[in-house]
């Protein structure tokens, strides 16, 4: 997150403009989670649609409550560098309405709720790797534990004023490290423990609705402006605006790069490629957008688009079943965006640090980025794998094979996404439906 | 009498209908079908992973014809259905024992 804005030695006062802007940004970031649900939901088979939507959606419930109870206090309280704590913030019980976030012009409440939206979407990102096969109860418990043990400390390291990575000078403007590498590494850790879907590499697992994927990607792109441009926590010096521009530019470049890559490699410009490329660009510019120029953003986006398009095939080569490519898009995209800061940082954006290609051509910032990336990657991967292992050994992580084959929606949610019978099913379907309806009525009469 | 069945590409339906009308055929039955021939289906690509889709959409057209017209009718359907590309489909005929017009009870060639 951003360093303090200094306003001519004057103590910051509450800015109505910045506060309003940040409340809108928070709402935009919230929209990303249902957007993600549709992005993922369209990519799974018909029988898993609802489960995929629900794994994202439940995060809106669980993380909100955790964040109020203790999450915010532990992530952003004062500390020795590893984990924060502030007793006044437990349960948000002792925060004044006009009490400002230290060094900024927005209330603590606004900063808290903006950060809450990041904490919500991060575990939701993991769910894409686990499609089709995880018990909803086990997933819910995983979200509680993961946010507490992994997300909260990592957010503190990277964004907390006392966090070790923040103090070291690791740049993570809006969450390439804390959100995307964190979620991608966690996804890898969990799937290495729980294993592959039944039929992985044998059965076709085509996305059931690419229009839903496009809708979800569009909502993500839209919401991401709040995610990125809001991360400067105000608009007093134009860095937020630079971030907005870079977000758009990198996303466009990544989408085109992914499309070009797959046209050359596979012979077609695909819809899924356009949506995936856009998301890869958004991921990569998230850490770097406050540090690079718009031309740098084109480079970041284009490199991420090609690298992520190449990376999604790794699961077939190495045999881990990352269902919807959370590792290939979020982890790889996050790593690329974070490391490219070490090359493309101009020193004119969020900090004076410059990359290898600018200023005194020093490698210092690149090494700092490597330290941040490596630490979060290792911590998240190992702890997430241990969490998944413990849950699997106690309550069990996976549904039964029969349930997985017949469809997790019915087994876990007692619902199905689409009605393929009845009035919409053509002449024969209507006859069958009215016969079924007649029977249902009769049964009810007998019951009465 | 003969039953002529054609399993062909869906987008050729209008041409075949027009050709049959021009030939003097009064009625036909169309159903949606799916299948594949020697060339199999097609390939789709999702994030670089290729999937072979075996069953491709087809339509099945059925027409009853008198014995002496059957050969010519098959030619008419084949000509109208042909695009020259793989997957154009097949046409075949079978002997039919009898046919009855439901409204009047007429039988045989009179029912056509």
């Amino acid at each position: 997150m951003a360093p303090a804005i200094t306003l001519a030695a004057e103590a910051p006062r509450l800015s109505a403009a910045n506060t309003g802007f940040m409340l809108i940004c928070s709402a935009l970031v919230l929209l990303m989670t249902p957007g993600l649900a549709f992005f993922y939901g369209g990519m799974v088979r018909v029988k898993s649609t609802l489960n995929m939507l629900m794994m994202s959606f439940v995060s809106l419930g669980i993380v909100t409550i955790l964040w109020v109870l203790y999450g915010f206090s532990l992530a952003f309280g004062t500390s020795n560098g590893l984990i924060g704590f502030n007793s006044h913030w437990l349960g948000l019980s002792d925060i004044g309405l006009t009490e400002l976030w230290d060094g900024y012009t927005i209330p603590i409440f606004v900063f808290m709720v903006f950060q809450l939206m990041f904490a919500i979407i991060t575990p939701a990102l993991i769910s894409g790797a686990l499609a089709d096969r995880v018990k909803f109860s086990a997933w819910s418990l995983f979200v509680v534990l993961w946010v507490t043990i992994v997300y909260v400390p990592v957010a503190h390291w990277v964004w907390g004023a006392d966090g070790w990575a923040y103090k070291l000078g690791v740049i993570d403007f809006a969450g390439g490290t804390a959100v995307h590498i964190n979620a991608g590494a966690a996804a890898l850790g969990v799937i290495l423990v729980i294993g592959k879907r039944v039929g992985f590499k044998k059965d076709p697992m085509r996305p059931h609705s690419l229009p839903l994927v496009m809708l979800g990607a569009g909502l993500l792109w839209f919401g991401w402006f709040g995610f990125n441009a809001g991360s400067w926590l105000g608009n007093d010096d134009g860095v937020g605006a630079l971030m907005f521009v870079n977000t758009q530019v990198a996303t466009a470049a990544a989408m085109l790069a992914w499309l070009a890559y797959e046209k050359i490699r596979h012979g077609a410009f695909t819809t899924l490629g356009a949506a995936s490329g856009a998301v890869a660009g958004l991921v990569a510019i998230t850490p770097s957008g406050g540090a690079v120029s718009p031309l740098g953003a084109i480079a970041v986006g284009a490199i991420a688009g090609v690298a992520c398009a190449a990376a999604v095939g790794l699961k077939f080569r190495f045999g881990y079943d990352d269902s919807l490519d959370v590792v290939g898009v979020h982890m790889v995209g996050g790593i690329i965006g974070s490391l490219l800061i070490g090359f493309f940082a101009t020193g004119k954006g969020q900090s004076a640090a410059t990359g290898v290609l600018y200023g005194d051509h020093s490698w210092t910032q690149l090494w700092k980025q490597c330290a941040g990336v490596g630490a979060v990657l290792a911590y998240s991967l190992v702890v997430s794998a241990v969490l998944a292992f413990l849950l699997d050994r106690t309550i069990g992580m996976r549904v039964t094979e029969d349930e997985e084959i017949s469809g997790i929606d019915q087994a876990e949610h007692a619902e199905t996404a689409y009605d393929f019978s009845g009035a919409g099913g053509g002449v024969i379907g209507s006859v069958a439906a009215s016969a079924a309806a007649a029977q249902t009525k009769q049964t009810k009469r007998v019951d009465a | 009498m003969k039953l002529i069945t054609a399993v062909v590409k869906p987008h050729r339906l209008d041409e075949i209908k027009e050709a049959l009308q021009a030939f003097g055929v009064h009625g036909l039955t169309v159903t949606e079908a799916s299948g594949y021939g020697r060339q199999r289906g097609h390939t789709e690509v999702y994030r670089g992973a290729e999937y072979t889709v075996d069953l491709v959409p087809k339509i099945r057209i059925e027409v009853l014809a008198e014995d002496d017209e059957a050969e010519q009718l098959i030619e008419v359907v084949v000509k109208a259905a042909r695009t020259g590309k793989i997957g154009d489909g097949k046409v075949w005929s079978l002997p039919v024992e009898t046919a009855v017009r439901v409204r009047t009870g007429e039988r045989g060639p009179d029912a056509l």
Side-chain angles (χ1 to χ4, degrees):
Chain A
M1 209 96 322
I5 297 166
T6 44
L7 295 170
E10 206 178 292
R13 288 185 303 157
L14 194 151
S15 155
N18 286 345
T19 299
F21 170 72
M22 289 308 297
L23 287 172
I24 290 170
C25 283
S26 304
L28 281 171
V29 180
L30 180 127
L31 188 64
M32 292 169 70
T33 298
L36 179 80
F38 283 112
F39 180 66
Y40 283 166
M43 264 189 272
V44 293
R45 289 166 290 174
V46 165
K47 62 185 180 180
S48 314
T49 313
L50 295 177
N51 179 251
M52 205 66 255
L53 295 175
M54 279 292 282
M55 286 213 280
S56 294
F57 222 78
V58 76
S59 184
L60 289 158
I62 293 173
V63 181
T64 300
I65 304 302
L66 294 187
W67 202 247
V68 170
L69 294 181
Y70 60 80
F72 179 63
S73 167
L74 298 186
F76 290 97
T78 48
S79 80
N80 58 5
L82 291 177
I83 182 80
F85 182 69
N86 184 333
S87 61
H88 299 293
W89 295 349
L90 289 172
L92 311 182
S93 50
D94 204 9
I95 300 174
L97 289 181
T98 55
E99 204 180 329
L100 296 186
W101 180 241
D102 196 20
Y104 290 86
T105 59
I106 58 172
I108 293 178
F109 268 121
V110 176
F111 179 71
M112 183 283 298
V113 86
F114 183 65
Q115 282 298 330
L116 163 64
M117 303 311 176
F118 285 64
I120 287 170
I121 195 170
T122 310
L125 288 170
I126 302 169
S127 69
L130 317 181
D132 295 345
R133 58 198 191 281
V134 172
K135 280 186 200 164
F136 191 67
S137 51
W139 166 253
S140 302
L141 194 51
F142 177 82
V143 171
V144 173
L145 297 171
W146 190 84
V147 167
T148 306
I149 301 171
V150 181
Y151 182 79
V152 161
V154 168
H156 183 73
W157 300 350
V158 177
W159 291 326
D162 304 322
W164 70 262
Y166 186 81
K167 278 187 176 164
L168 179 68
V170 176
I171 293 177
D172 183 9
F173 191 97
T177 313
V179 175
H180 296 287
I181 297 174
N182 200 359
L188 185 57
V190 175
I191 55 183
L192 289 177
V193 172
I194 67 166
K196 303 160 199 175
R197 286 168 292 179
V198 173
F200 175 63
K201 285 216 265 189
K202 288 190 291 251
D203 299 342
M205 296 177 178
R206 284 189 290 161
H208 90 279
S209 173
L210 288 171
L212 277 191
V213 175
M214 291 303 258
L215 173 70
L219 288 174
L220 279 170
W221 193 333
F222 177 69
W224 222 294
F225 287 117
F227 197 86
N228 283 356
S231 285
W232 199 239
L233 307 181
N235 257 331
D236 302 306
D237 56 3
V239 174
L242 171 71
M243 190 67 191
F244 195 111
V245 171
N246 283 346
T247 301
Q248 179 65 15
V249 169
T251 308
M255 182 179 80
L256 298 178
W258 188 305
L259 286 172
Y261 176 88
E262 66 178 4
K263 177 66 180 169
I264 294 165
R265 280 294 302 272
H266 307 293
F269 301 109
T270 71
T271 311
L272 185 58
S276 311
V279 172
L282 289 162
V283 169
I285 202 64
T286 294
S288 53
V292 303
S293 69
L295 283 177
I298 291 181
V300 169
I303 293 169
V306 170
C308 292
V312 295
L314 294 179
K315 64 178 176 182
F316 296 112
R317 192 169 307 165
F318 295 120
Y320 60 88
D321 185 10
D322 174 13
S323 315
L324 309 181
D325 301 307
V326 181
V327 177
V329 174
H330 293 276
M331 195 181 94
V332 171
I335 291 172
I336 286 172
S338 292
L339 296 187
L340 287 181
I341 293 171
F343 292 94
F344 292 111
T346 60
K348 292 177 190 156
Q350 69 177 109
S351 84
T354 56
V356 177
L357 304 175
Y358 292 87
D360 55 3
H361 305 288
S362 153
W363 293 77
T364 314
Q365 190 59 36
L366 183 60
W367 294 126
K368 289 178 182 175
Q369 295 305 120
C370 287
V373 166
V376 171
L377 194 74
Y379 180 74
S380 181
L381 189 120
V382 172
V383 177
S384 306
V386 170
L387 277 179
F389 179 78
L390 293 176
L391 284 174
D392 200 38
R393 282 299 161 99
T394 50
I395 61 171
M397 280 291 276
R398 290 186 68 148
V399 297
T400 65
E401 193 172 322
D402 281 354
E403 286 171 338
E404 193 183 320
I405 291 166
S406 61
I408 195 168
D409 284 2
Q410 236 164 351
E412 289 290 298
H413 305 290
E415 292 170 306
T416 47
Y418 304 98
D419 181 5
F420 292 117
S421 66
V427 179
I428 297 171
S430 308
V431 173
S434 47
Q439 206 160 12
T440 315
K441 267 186 207 158
Q442 209 167 10
T443 316
K444 274 184 190 156
R445 219 172 290 145
V446 171
D447 288 346
Chain B
M1 269 186 302
K2 291 275 197 291
L3 170 68
I4 295 158
T5 304
V7 175
V8 295
K9 285 181 172 167
H11 71 272
R12 302 305 294 172
L13 177 60
D14 282 345
E15 282 81 355
I16 296 169
K17 249 171 34 187
E18 280 165 24
L20 287 173
Q21 272 162 9
F23 187 76
V25 173
H26 303 299
L28 78 170
T29 306
V30 180
T31 40
E32 288 180 22
S34 55
Y36 59 83
R38 223 177 293 180
Q39 88 287 352
R40 311 291 283 196
H42 60 267
T43 305
E44 297 183 3
V45 186
Y46 298 96
R47 280 185 176 160
E50 293 189 359
Y51 295 112
T52 306
V53 180
D54 270 346
L55 297 173
V56 290
K58 300 280 173 193
I59 50 163
R60 175 192 182 103
I61 300 171
E62 287 166 311
V63 187
L64 286 169
E66 291 190 50
D67 288 334
D68 57 345
E69 286 183 340
E71 253 328 296
Q72 276 176 283
L73 234 164
I74 290 173
E75 281 309 309
V76 168
V77 173
V78 167
K79 208 175 145 201
R82 181 175 290 153
T83 67
K85 296 189 184 123
I86 53 169
D88 268 357
K90 286 210 177 19
V91 183
W92 61 85
S93 72
L94 292 169
V96 174
E97 277 185 24
T98 186
V100 185
R101 172 171 285 132
V102 174
R103 175 167 54 85
T104 60
E106 289 165 287
R107 285 186 165 255
D110 293 340
L112 297 185

